Amino acid sequence: MLIYLISFYFFKFVIVNYSPGNIFLLALLIILPATLTATHNRAGEITYKQTGALSIEMTIITYTKGSSVAADRDSLDVFWGDGTRQFVLRDNSRTRFEPNDIKINYYIASHTYPGAATYSISFLDPNRVGGILNVNYPNSIDIPFFLTTTFTLLDQQFQGFNNSAVLLQPPIDIGCVNKLFIHNPNAYDPDGDSLAYELTAPLQALNTPVPGYKLPDEIGSAAGNSFTINPITGEVRWNSPKLQGEYNIAIRIKEYRNGNLINVILRDMQILIRACENEPPFIKSIDELCVIAGEKISIDIEVSDPNTNQKVKLSATGGPFTVSAPAVLSGPAIFTSVKFNAKLEWQTNCNHISDQYYQVVLRAVDNFY
């Protein structure tokens, strides 16, 4: 069992035309220690990009138990939402194995719809992992795993293309008993549409919640135990877990354009809580910065760890890394002795102007194990 102690530092900013008072907003988030374990499906989501007036390219990403060979899926039966279905093969060139018995699977396919309308893509798999404390415990392995994404093909002439949001932070995270747990899916919408977030029950079929579902804060003592999501930033905050074990939650990511709901992604996420004693790394950076299109952003980052004999690795995700002329994170790319410095730089231009925030998540991982 590998256990990583992780810290997240996230900030967000908006690129605008010059106007006094436009600011770069910075907020500190630290995610405390964590781990992972589990019998087949752990987590996942469905996203897509629009490739034509009535065509999309869909991507399903599932996070499964790597050792569950008998339950491995080389294809998924996908329902396109227009009365048709298709077995979509896994793209094995993108398959990855991660520590803690995690396998990441990609299923990618294109589809053309009969007309501009609202559709729901979905798939169902008969196996979740076993032992999930808040899903039909102790028999979660018998509960199906169901994902769906609902989207609208718009009038091209007046409303343009509609791509789904991209969720840049993986839907598996780790935390410690009696420690504050914080997670952010770090969603980015390439069209600049506004996003909103809400908690919901994981599904076992269309419009059918899993049986015996409880929110994570309903497991264990109720004292000092609350589980919430920020509807604007997507920040999930659990203060604080009382029982070690495995939990699943679901997050709806809603996408709005001109005040109209046009997309909904259902992300099924896994959280593993352990009895951890190690302290996480610490990330220090600035609090506020004015950002004007055309300026070069240069942000100093300092990484340290209370356990000075450990080494730490820093990485970053966010919208600024996905656009043309992207941001660059410079600094050690491997586990490095603390403390050390890094820098995030972004030469902005007018193509980056948006009335929505760009959000960046810095992730520091120590080598405790």
Side-chain angles (χ1 to χ4, degrees):
M1 177 68 63
L2 295 178
I3 300 180
Y4 287 148
L5 273 294
I6 300 173
S7 284
F8 286 149
Y9 195 102
F10 98 84
F11 46 83
K12 57 184 181 179
F13 49 92
V14 60
I15 307 295
V16 296
N17 288 307
Y18 176 75
S19 174
N22 290 318
I23 64 171
F24 172 113
L25 297 178
L26 180 78
L28 173 64
L29 291 179
I30 295 187
I31 288 196
L32 292 167
T35 76
L36 290 169
T37 131
T39 296
H40 186 60
N41 283 288
R42 299 177 179 274
E45 71 248 0
I46 303 172
T47 60
Y48 74 93
K49 57 184 178 181
Q50 190 169 354
T51 56
L54 298 176
S55 300
I56 66 165
E57 181 185 81
M58 172 214 67
T59 299
I60 298 175
I61 307 177
T62 64
Y63 295 73
T64 59
K65 186 173 183 180
S67 60
S68 294
V69 178
D72 191 42
R73 307 290 184 244
D74 62 359
S75 64
L76 297 178
D77 188 8
V78 175
F79 292 78
W80 291 105
D82 60 356
T84 65
R85 62 198 290 185
Q86 176 185 351
F87 277 97
V88 177
L89 295 175
R90 181 171 56 203
D91 183 351
N92 290 323
S93 68
R94 303 185 66 177
T95 300
R96 302 200 313 273
F97 287 87
E98 298 288 340
N100 303 297
D101 201 13
I102 297 171
K103 185 177 184 180
I104 305 176
N105 311 274
Y106 289 80
Y107 305 84
I108 303 171
S110 297
H111 187 71
T112 299
Y113 286 89
T118 297
Y119 301 96
S120 292
I121 304 172
S122 64
F123 90 95
L124 182 147
D125 188 283
N127 299 104
R128 287 181 179 266
V129 296
I132 302 173
L133 294 180
N134 64 331
V135 176
N136 198 46
Y137 184 78
N139 298 311
S140 61
I141 190 174
D142 299 325
I143 304 305
F145 179 79
F146 181 84
L147 293 178
T148 182
T149 286
T150 300
F151 67 97
T152 303
L153 293 174
L154 303 170
D155 186 309
Q156 295 296 294
Q157 183 177 357
F158 300 103
Q159 298 168 299
F161 272 32
N162 175 21
N163 300 284
S164 75
V166 181
L167 309 181
L168 300 173
Q169 204 62 42
I172 296 183
D173 216 336
I174 48 183
C176 291
V177 171
N178 292 321
K179 301 287 187 179
L180 175 64
F181 170 87
I182 300 175
H183 172 86
N184 195 302
N186 200 12
Y188 168 70
D189 189 86
D191 302 325
D193 297 321
S194 60
L195 302 176
Y197 306 81
E198 66 181 25
L199 294 172
T200 187
L203 298 181
Q204 63 175 346
L206 183 63
N207 300 322
T208 307
V210 295
Y213 178 70
K214 298 179 180 179
L215 283 170
D217 59 3
E218 297 178 273
I219 305 297
S221 170
N225 194 352
S226 65
F227 193 93
T228 60
I229 189 169
N230 186 308
I232 299 174
T233 67
E235 177 186 305
V236 174
R237 184 174 285 254
W238 187 0
N239 191 12
S240 55
K242 302 305 176 187
L243 290 180
Q244 66 176 349
E246 198 166 324
Y247 301 80
N248 269 69
I249 64 169
I251 302 174
R252 282 198 187 100
I253 298 96
K254 297 182 175 182
E255 180 181 332
Y256 292 86
R257 184 176 298 183
N258 299 322
N260 298 312
L261 179 64
I262 56 175
N263 287 351
V264 180
I265 298 173
L266 179 74
R267 163 175 268 201
D268 199 311
M269 176 184 171
Q270 182 183 83
I271 304 169
L272 191 75
I273 300 300
R274 286 293 187 185
C276 321
E277 295 300 331
N278 189 27
E279 295 297 324
F282 182 74
I283 303 171
K284 180 181 179 182
S285 192
I286 61 172
D287 291 327
E288 293 184 352
L289 177 68
C290 292
V291 179
I292 301 169
E295 287 187 349
K296 183 177 181 178
I297 297 170
S298 184
I299 300 169
D300 293 320
I301 302 162
E302 181 182 281
V303 179
S304 59
D305 194 306
N307 309 107
T308 56
N309 61 327
Q310 295 176 0
K311 294 183 178 182
V312 178
K313 182 167 67 175
L314 180 71
S315 61
T317 57
F321 298 100
T322 69
V323 297
S324 60
V328 175
L329 178 68
S330 58
I334 60 175
F335 282 100
T336 303
S337 298
V338 291
K339 83 176 56 168
F340 64 82
N341 295 314
K343 189 181 290 288
L344 190 152
E345 295 183 303
W346 189 18
Q347 178 58 63
T348 66
N349 59 52
C350 290
N351 292 327
H352 300 143
I353 294 172
S354 173
D355 59 0
Q356 301 299 318
Y357 287 108
Y358 292 93
Q359 180 168 282
V360 171
V361 172
L362 301 176
R363 182 177 186 266
V365 181
D366 72 23
N367 66 339
F368 179 57
Y369 275 83

